[in-house]
Amino acid sequence: MTLRKSVEVLTGNYAVAYGVKLARAEIIAAYPITPQTSIVEKLSEFIENGEMEAEYIRVESEHSAMAACIGAASAGARAFTATSSHGLLYMAEMVFWAGYSRLPIVMAVVTRTLAPPWNIWSEHTDIFSLRDAGWIIFMCEDNQEVLDTVIQAYKIAEDPRVQLPVMLGLDAFTLSHVASPVELPSQEEVDSFLPPPGATPRSFTMDVEHPISHSSIVDPDTTFQFRYLMKEAMEEAKEVIREVDKAYSRLTGRRYGGLAEEYRCSDAELILVVAGAAAGDAKEAADMLRDEGIKAGVLKIRALRPFPVEEARRVASSVKALLTFDREYSFGSGGVIAHEVKASLYGFHKQPLVDSYIVGLGGSEITSRHFMEAARRSLEKVERGILKPGEVWLLPPEVKLGGVPW
Amino acid sequence: MGVVTAAELLVNAALREGFYGQSIPMFGPERRGAPVVVFARVSDRPIRLHSRVEHPNIVVVFDHRLANFIDVTKGFKGDLFLINAPSLSELPKDLKAFRLASVDATEIAVKLKLVVAGWPVVNTAMLGALAKASGLVSLNSVVSAIKERWPGRIGELNAEAARRAYQEVLVEVAS
């Protein structure tokens, strides 16, 4: 390996900030919350010392942060915010407003557990709970992907076929505060990939030459029509995400598979389906399982929205079992990825076993061992001919299930 | 936090030598003087794991008094145990089974007036000692990483701390 000048040791949060700077965002509006704060601290530092030409709007809440981004994006500016956990839910009303307004805002969500009990560590319930807000949602595996996804996010959000906001999730601490080498593309490289702010025509921004009315009351059928257009845009986004990933790889040599990355899936008998930082641990587990003679692969869910239905079907067509891993839970229903995968496969000709594993809630550690244990359990089921889908909560061995913890 | 910065500097130094690295700070109820744990990985290939290090090859303890009330060798594989202590005789007996290295980083920091709010800043000295005792990274890379982090006089002082510790660290072979 040769040392490249553009490689820096960055935390996930700093990788976000460098990405936003390289993407030439013009408006930053954010309210601090652990573990997001160092993203906007770094951005304010860039602006303060003249490295970045942007307006930093200080707001009194996350709700106002998103409202400010909506205002900025409505006027055609490139806007960014970041939040986490309670901040995201406090912002929720405006998150839907941004999605339904079709504004290409980009937001980083440092995924953090919702309280109570009070907890600052990673869980995906915060970001997954806003999956119906009309935003494209990415989950990142490592700090390099975080930086690259921020840059890609603006390209996707502003594509005339899409015009939807994008949020990207990075695991609290596991990515946000972990430092690792990140290759920074040059400003020239990013400029050649991402047009300058305002260069791409938008249908939903304010324009004095072509005035349109915003957010006024309309009849039900017009609203219905708007929703249909959003659905169409979200479908279009699938191809745009794949195209942008390819174009970005021509620029940097790095590819993430578009909506989902398939790792050692082509000859796999069993596939681990996972989103977020633990995807790396899952890949290590797949390698170790193969050393034991179990042909394992990983389907990394990069886009939760739009969901990679086609990719899930493709990998399912030749395997005995799909194992989903959810770091969040929909009470009364189950793991979100488990549902999405099952829904993707319904009516499809090949139906492998789909087992759901619940892992890492409240920031509980996820290791390669979790994936290996799950693989052995599900394979044993398959060998015994049991194809009924199951749900297993993989807690650390020292934690007992059931009863109160005191 | 000295130990968190030290781990980031180690990753920076490793990067300079063509390695990949990752520093994982453990956050929780932060308060000055409380024990803080950080993990670091250095590898010749990209690091995909994000879980904590359960079986370290190397343990570095920034204050020898910690060994009296924390299990500092939990999961330890036993390649190298480096500790900031006035001498190895101060250490609990059960540590003697490992390849031990010690350095008086506190004294180095105090002599260089690397003291913040009354607390000797020992992290850069410990990095210098680690470079020597482990051979993982060179002193040059450690010094470069330090100077990149703190340009000017602060960087010079910290680089000097690393150099002194590099020279003064004592490495013992387990008996």
Side-chain angles (χ1 to χ4, degrees), chain A residues 1 3 7 9 121 141-142 173-175 177-181 263 277 280-281 283-284 287 365-369, chain B residues 8 11-12 15-16 18-25 27-29 45-54 148:
Chain A
M1 191 190 111
L3 176 67
V7 178
V9 177
W121 294 281
E141 178 186 330
D142 58 31
F173 300 107
T174 312
L175 292 189
H177 287 65
V178 163
S180 56
Y263 177 77
D281 302 79
K283 289 174 184 172
E284 291 284 337
D287 288 358
E365 186 77 341
I366 306 175
T367 68
S368 295
R369 280 199 313 279
Chain B
E8 284 189 22
V11 173
N12 186 315
L15 178 67
R16 287 164 192 279
F19 294 119
Y20 296 88
Q22 179 191 52
S23 81
I24 309 176
F27 286 89
R45 61 188 187 102
I47 296 164
R48 297 184 297 189
L49 291 176
H50 280 101
S51 44
R52 294 167 211 160
V53 176
E54 291 178 330
E148 182 189 295

Side-chain angles (χ1 to χ4, degrees), chain A residues 102 161-162 164 226-238:
Chain A
R102 307 286 305 271
R161 293 165 288 175
V162 178
L164 290 168
F226 274 124
R227 298 292 185 269
Y228 184 79
L229 291 172
M230 274 181 74
K231 179 198 93 81
E232 295 275 282
M234 196 56 99
E235 272 304 310
E236 286 275 344
K238 288 184 177 179

Side-chain angles (χ1 to χ4, degrees), chain A residues 3-123:
Chain A
L3 176 67
R4 290 187 55 161
K5 246 177 100 181
S6 52
V7 178
E8 296 224 16
V9 177
L10 297 179
T11 62
N13 278 354
Y14 278 13
V16 172
Y18 275 92
V20 172
K21 178 165 95 92
L22 285 165
R24 296 189 185 278
E26 299 166 295
I27 296 287
I28 316 295
Y31 190 79
I33 183 169
T34 299
Q36 172 281 119
T37 307
S38 57
I39 297 176
V40 292
E41 274 176 3
K42 192 71 186 166
L43 284 168
S44 66
E45 208 179 292
F46 286 149
I47 296 168
E48 175 68 20
N49 64 23
E51 281 179 73
M52 186 178 171
E53 270 181 63
E55 186 79 26
Y56 191 101
I57 304 175
R58 281 174 292 173
V59 288
E60 85 293 356
S61 73
E62 289 85 354
H63 188 276
S64 298
M66 184 50 69
C69 286
I70 290 168
S74 298
R78 196 169 274 169
F80 175 81
T81 188
T83 190
S84 196
S85 188
H86 293 266
L88 180 66
L89 293 205
Y90 192 38
M91 183 194 275
E93 181 195 11
M94 291 291 110
V95 173
F96 273 81
W97 199 286
Y100 288 3
S101 300
R102 307 286 305 271
L103 296 169
I105 297 162
V106 172
M107 167 162 66
V109 177
V110 182
T111 62
R112 167 186 152 182
T113 306
L114 290 151
W118 198 245
N119 185 313
I120 56 172
W121 294 281
S122 186
E123 197 182 291

